[in-house]
Amino acid sequence: MGCCGSSGTGTISSITISLFGLDNAGKTCISRALVGKFNDFDTVPTVGFSTTHLSYNDSIIEIYDLGGSARFRSVWQRYFAFISGFIWVVDSADKDKFEESKQTLKQIINNSMMTGKPYVIVANKSDLQGHASIDEIRRELDIPNDIQIIEASATESTDKCNPGLTKALNSLLSQISENYKFLSEKIINDIEKQKEIQRQESEEKMARLRQMK
């Protein structure tokens, strides 16, 4: 396990969270660091979807790692119903993408299935020269003051622990624990809504296929 410290999740047995962010922000490196794979950072951009599982304070944390390329982001919403919260990953050294990051994050939090779900910001690659400060990221991405921004470098570790990532995960899981009843009920309702959306999409697809025959 790559994280240390206490999350305060108590008796929660299973939680699903997601890593969101633009391509090359470092989501896959973060996912691997969270499970202690600090010697496995020779990664290629995630295409589609992968999951990682983490045993943490008697809880099982399922982490979605979703591809950040523009052509895949439209698929993110298919997973919104299932998650309790998320980490938004920003490449703090790539200031040219801050506006795109801002607009993409806004689309997530404005989705009805994400309303009320907690999130934290990880300012990744903070070890690189010229990276943006927390204040700059908060200003450029228009992050509310009550949302925590945490600096990290996913490829760094101390005794198989990455302090920045551990802090971010602890913060997110603590917020989920505090709002667990609300989030659990919301997830149940949203999963039913997502099933209905997929049913309608399937029916529309079949109708189009019938018309083509």
Side-chain angles (χ1 to χ4, degrees):
M1 184 182 71
C3 291
C4 50
S6 174
S7 69
T9 56
T11 58
I12 299 174
S13 60
S14 179
I15 301 170
T16 299
I17 65 173
S18 185
L19 299 171
F20 291 120
L22 305 185
D23 48 316
N24 298 317
K27 299 182 298 298
T28 299
C29 285
I30 288 174
S31 176
R32 293 179 179 181
L34 287 173
V35 295
K37 295 182 179 179
F38 291 103
N39 297 317
D40 189 18
F41 290 130
D42 185 17
T43 65
V44 295
T46 300
V47 177
F49 167 83
S50 66
T51 61
T52 300
H53 292 86
L54 170 65
S55 178
Y56 198 51
N57 282 14
D58 298 322
S59 299
I60 300 299
I61 314 299
E62 183 176 29
I63 304 171
Y64 290 173
D65 176 12
L66 299 168
S69 65
R71 64 184 177 86
F72 186 77
R73 290 175 212 157
S74 62
V75 183
W76 287 358
Q77 59 189 333
R78 293 181 178 273
Y79 301 94
F80 287 169
F82 302 92
I83 66 173
S84 296
F86 68 97
I87 295 173
W88 180 256
V89 183
V90 181
D91 181 344
S92 64
D94 192 353
K95 300 180 182 180
D96 290 340
K97 285 190 174 181
F98 280 2
E99 180 61 26
E100 184 181 4
S101 184
K102 170 185 172 181
Q103 296 302 328
T104 307
L105 173 60
K106 186 178 296 185
Q107 290 173 6
I108 292 177
I109 60 179
N110 286 340
N111 186 287
S112 62
M113 290 188 183
M114 300 300 288
T115 302
K117 291 184 176 180
Y119 67 100
V120 297
I121 310 293
V122 165
N124 194 29
K125 306 183 186 181
S126 61
D127 56 317
L128 298 183
Q129 186 174 4
H131 73 275
S133 67
I134 288 177
D135 288 342
E136 186 175 359
I137 290 173
R138 187 177 299 281
R139 181 178 66 253
E140 294 299 323
L141 271 65
D142 195 22
I143 305 298
N145 290 330
D146 61 337
I147 299 298
Q148 195 168 14
I149 302 175
I150 300 164
E151 289 186 330
S153 174
T155 57
E156 293 184 347
S157 67
T158 302
D159 295 327
K160 285 295 183 181
C161 176
N162 185 300
L165 299 182
T166 298
K167 182 178 179 181
L169 186 62
N170 278 337
S171 176
L172 180 62
L173 295 182
S174 177
Q175 294 176 65
I176 291 171
S177 179
E178 291 171 3
N179 298 279
Y180 190 66
K181 184 176 185 297
F182 161 77
L183 292 170
S184 297
E185 292 173 353
K186 179 173 177 56
I187 286 170
I188 290 171
N189 292 331
D190 286 346
I191 287 175
E192 290 304 311
K193 292 178 184 177
Q194 185 61 36
K195 287 180 180 178
E196 178 61 21
I197 290 171
Q198 291 178 247
R199 185 189 66 78
Q200 292 178 1
E201 289 177 346
S202 179
E203 288 182 354
E204 291 170 0
K205 181 178 180 180
M206 292 301 296
R208 289 194 298 268
L209 290 173
R210 286 193 294 269
Q211 291 175 356
M212 293 171 62
K213 292 182 179 179

